[in-house]
Amino acid sequence: AQTVTQSQPEMSVQEAETVTLSCTYDTSESDYYLFWYKQPPSRQMILVIRQEAYKQQNATENRFSVNFQKAAKSFSLKISDSQLGDAAMYFCAYEYNNNDMRFGAGTRLTVKP
Amino acid sequence: SQTIHQWPATLVQPVGSPLSLECTVEGTSNPNLYWYRQAAGRGLQLLFYSVGIGQISSEVPQNLSASRPQDRQFILSSKKLLLSDSGFYLCAWSEGYEQYFGPGTRLTVT
């Protein structure tokens, strides 16, 4: 069964600094999708970034980028120039087909001013 | 553009009472629809998904049921709530591999 592991329950970063959130997953599939979702205090789940497993190039969205290591089954999220609004729970998710998205337990990110 | 609505936003219900949570999507046709539950400080657990009207798949045996009476309407129900049903319920939709979430319903069973 596919599982997603986020080994950092909590992380903190100074405003304007860079932070990396870790995620590993377990799968026997070769073609799948990976996502990072952000859940601020409002609890609305917001898609931050996605990565297709068949693409070697790491995805980037403005200050957010990923380090996708397919062989190691690792998918970390780097947040550059951290802002106070980045404070939230961050969930890593894996999807093999349209109806099977698996989420990690989440990492709570605190941004210090 | 597509939008997803959930109501109510907050609900407090006694044990043994019925439940009905509603989710509607606008701006798209024949989306896949999902119900998730999030316990406090935890990740998301998929409860049900639907690929079309009247088509419901259950991921976890529950005190809950789901229905899709219309293309863009997804309902989560229970005949008798348990204390363990408390949590944050999220509805989501997708057309491809990305899922987009509603604002959620916070359910407290007392």
Side-chain angles (χ1 to χ4, degrees):
Chain A
Q2 296 88 355
T3 57
V4 179
T5 302
Q6 293 180 248
S7 59
Q8 307 155 315
E10 297 183 356
M11 290 284 286
S12 67
V13 62
Q14 204 71 33
E15 193 176 7
E17 297 289 304
T18 296
V19 63
T20 299
L21 308 184
S22 301
C23 174
T24 59
Y25 56 95
D26 181 31
T27 184
S28 58
E29 305 298 334
S30 60
D31 194 13
Y32 48 87
Y33 291 77
L34 296 164
F35 305 88
W36 279 98
Y37 281 89
K38 169 185 177 181
Q39 188 179 42
S42 67
R43 301 198 75 174
Q44 173 92 48
M45 292 284 283
I46 302 165
L47 178 64
V48 174
I49 199 165
R50 73 174 231 176
Q51 173 79 45
E52 293 91 337
Y54 64 86
K55 290 186 177 180
Q56 293 185 339
Q57 186 174 5
N58 289 325
T60 299
E61 288 287 342
N62 300 316
R63 298 184 294 108
F64 298 87
S65 61
V66 300
N67 183 5
F68 174 48
Q69 302 289 328
K70 190 172 184 179
K73 296 178 184 176
S74 171
F75 182 60
S76 61
L77 174 70
K78 186 172 80 171
I79 306 174
S80 303
D81 185 25
S82 296
Q83 301 175 0
L84 295 177
D86 294 333
M89 283 288 288
Y90 285 82
F91 292 97
C92 177
Y94 161 99
E95 186 166 37
Y96 166 59
N97 62 48
N98 283 4
N99 303 311
D100 192 14
M101 182 175 279
R102 304 298 174 108
F103 288 83
T107 296
R108 182 175 302 280
L109 177 66
T110 302
V111 180
K112 299 178 180 179
Chain B
S1 63
Q2 300 88 354
T3 55
I4 178 169
H5 305 279
Q6 282 186 248
W7 63 89
T10 305
L11 190 60
V12 180
Q13 291 283 96
V15 168
S17 65
L19 172 73
S20 181
L21 303 181
E22 189 166 342
C23 170
T24 59
V25 181
E26 296 177 355
T28 185
S29 296
N30 196 32
N32 289 346
L33 296 172
Y34 310 83
W35 278 113
Y36 290 88
R37 178 167 59 199
Q38 184 180 27
R42 306 284 297 276
L44 276 66
Q45 179 188 37
L46 179 63
L47 301 175
F48 301 94
Y49 68 87
S50 172
V51 298
I53 295 175
Q55 302 179 60
I56 308 295
S57 296
S58 174
E59 286 295 301
V60 181
Q62 296 284 342
N63 179 44
L64 304 169
S65 62
S67 63
R68 185 170 178 173
Q70 301 181 41
D71 180 42
R72 291 169 289 175
Q73 183 185 30
F74 205 22
I75 297 172
L76 183 69
S77 304
S78 174
K79 292 182 179 179
K80 289 185 178 181
L81 284 168
L82 306 173
L83 285 174
S84 58
D85 291 325
S86 292
F88 190 65
Y89 289 82
L90 285 156
C91 180
W93 71 273
S94 75
E95 288 179 333
Y97 282 93
E98 296 175 7
Q99 293 188 18
Y100 299 94
F101 290 81
T105 295
R106 183 185 302 276
L107 172 65
T108 303
V109 183
T110 60

